[in-house]
Amino acid sequence: MPKVDQKRVAAAIKGALLADAACMGTHNISDPDEIKAAVPSEDAPEFKDPPAPKGYSAADYPGHYGPGMSSPWGEQLLFATQYCGKHKCVTPGHMSVKMKEWAEQFGGYKDESINEFLKCMLAADRSVELCGAEDERAHGFARIIPVVCLYAGEVDMLERVKDAVMVYQTNPKAIRFVMAGASLLESVLLGNELKSAMEKAMEHAMSSSSNFSMDDSDIGDALLTSLMEAKMKDVSQLMEGLEEDESQGGRTARFPSPFIVNTFTFYKAIADGEINEDSYVKAIRANILAGGDTCCRAILMGAILGAAAGSVPQSFVDKFPKDTMEKVEKAIKGIIESLD
């Protein structure tokens, strides 16, 4: 079995959390002009202080969403990371119960999907099996990064990823795209270069050997779109095109847009040459200026580019709350221990 690169595991988890936090300050601002006016500067738009995301705020949720803190989806990522670090496995029913316990005491913003999940769990019937059936958004990225780190190289990795997504999201399209993102991350964690991981993803998506689902032609379409657009456009032009076609998801977290933006960014980074911390920073900054649901996109983006670089920028770490990073370090240690 291929050996997981432990340095890349740590960089993937930290990269995802830091990317989310970097984007939180202007999260959900979609208008390009409004974004440019809101960021600290176009050269360094990350970690806006004070944060001004749309839909939630530190004033409404004391103890959350202050400078350097995680978005609501980064907070879910932290839950999943701590869960994997403590239990060292993913069991669907158990993870659902633990997420219910977490969500009930959680003092931050709960969107409609979390509230639906809690309603289903409290009903104590089989309604939870249909939870999030219509939800095509990329929120599953927040639950699968540590799962991929825990199971990379194992034959059941994609099944465990699917289990984590289906805790409260049973939409087939969302599951397909999250599993495709998980496969990209797994390839990088196993020591492959990002270019090789992207080539493998394209090969799988365009052939019958893909195991994301029985109908994943949309994965191949998204990869082809991002590849062609990366050759001709910058990210602002990409976003304009995604907004013109409602079925693409625009600047929202609705698939395929978050997957297209991520893979577009990876193709751009590959074209620039060696993947390093500068590649990571450049990508996250471009993602912020692209606007919309930047945090959901950033989680996969930060994980894969962090893993590919093998480290995360200290300038981002310095902005992140030290007490939260201590929790992250402890959870990463637990995950890495299970890999030995």
Side-chain angles (χ1 to χ4, degrees):
M1 184 180 73
K3 188 172 178 61
V4 180
D5 187 322
Q6 296 182 3
K7 183 179 178 182
R8 290 189 174 196
V9 165
I13 293 172
K14 290 180 182 178
L17 284 159
L18 292 172
D20 166 81
C23 296
M24 187 274 289
T26 52
H27 185 206
N28 289 328
I29 299 176
S30 294
D31 181 81
D33 292 331
E34 188 177 351
I35 295 163
K36 291 177 181 178
V39 296
S41 73
E42 291 185 47
D43 291 334
E46 66 271 18
F47 293 104
K48 176 179 171 61
D49 184 5
K54 286 195 172 182
Y56 58 92
S57 68
D60 291 333
Y61 301 96
H64 301 261
Y65 319 127
M69 291 184 176
S70 299
S71 79
W73 288 271
E75 290 171 321
Q76 285 191 40
L77 171 58
L78 178 59
F79 157 77
T81 301
Q82 291 181 297
Y83 176 89
C84 289
K86 179 178 180 179
H87 300 287
K88 300 178 175 58
C89 66
V90 173
T91 307
H94 186 261
M95 190 175 190
S96 294
V97 169
K98 290 302 178 183
M99 187 159 197
K100 170 181 171 290
E101 293 173 358
W102 170 81
E104 286 178 328
Q105 59 79 38
F106 175 56
Y109 171 74
K110 300 184 183 78
D111 76 335
E112 66 274 14
S113 56
I114 286 288
N115 287 322
E116 181 187 357
F117 163 72
L118 285 173
K119 183 179 178 181
C120 291
M121 289 293 288
L122 292 169
D125 58 23
R126 301 191 68 178
S127 61
V128 72
E129 296 176 10
L130 301 175
C131 192
E134 304 301 319
D135 188 355
E136 295 185 350
R137 294 173 297 174
H139 295 171
F141 286 157
R143 298 189 295 284
I144 62 97
I145 303 303
V147 178
V148 180
C149 292
L150 193 61
Y151 285 94
E154 301 285 349
V155 295
D156 60 343
M157 187 278 293
L158 284 176
E159 283 302 311
R160 300 291 77 79
V161 165
K162 186 176 180 181
D163 289 338
V165 177
M166 292 184 68
V167 165
Y168 73 74
Q169 193 172 16
T170 58
N171 180 269
K173 186 175 186 178
I175 293 169
R176 285 197 301 277
F177 276 102
V178 172
M179 290 172 73
S183 291
L184 279 172
L185 176 57
E186 179 191 40
S187 185
V188 175
L189 291 174
L190 293 176
N192 295 303
E193 293 185 357
L194 182 56
K195 183 176 185 290
S196 174
M198 293 295 291
E199 289 171 348
K200 182 180 178 181
M202 181 72 81
E203 179 184 343
H204 279 198
M206 301 303 291
S207 72
S208 59
S209 65
S210 175
N211 55 1
F212 304 139
S213 80
M214 294 299 290
D215 178 22
D216 56 8
S217 60
D218 49 0
I219 305 295
D221 291 343
L223 284 167
L224 285 171
T225 296
S226 59
L227 174 60
M228 296 307 297
E229 299 290 68
K231 292 179 178 180
M232 302 180 293
K233 298 180 179 180
D234 61 26
V235 70
S236 64
Q237 293 169 321
L238 172 72
M239 300 310 293
E240 289 173 5
L242 292 175
E243 285 193 310
E244 289 173 2
D245 184 351
E246 186 177 338
S247 68
Q248 297 284 58
R251 298 176 197 266
T252 74
R254 185 165 55 83
F255 286 119
S257 176
F259 187 79
I260 291 173
V261 177
N262 263 280
T263 50
F264 171 94
T265 301
F266 301 151
Y267 283 126
K268 285 288 193 183
I270 291 166
D272 285 344
E274 180 185 0
I275 307 298
N276 52 33
E277 291 181 12
D278 289 340
S279 311
Y280 175 99
V281 172
K282 181 178 179 180
I284 301 309
R285 286 175 173 171
N287 180 57
I288 292 169
L289 295 174
D293 203 331
T294 52
C295 289
C296 282
R297 298 195 302 260
I299 287 172
L300 183 67
M301 191 179 297
I304 289 178
L305 291 174
S311 62
V312 293
Q314 187 61 42
S315 60
F316 277 41
V317 174
D318 291 342
K319 296 283 189 178
F320 196 70
K322 288 182 173 57
D323 58 339
T324 305
M325 185 55 78
E326 289 173 1
K327 296 176 184 177
V328 173
E329 295 275 11
K330 180 179 178 181
I332 290 172
K333 182 179 179 182
I335 291 171
I336 288 176
E337 285 173 353
S338 72
L339 303 178
D340 293 333

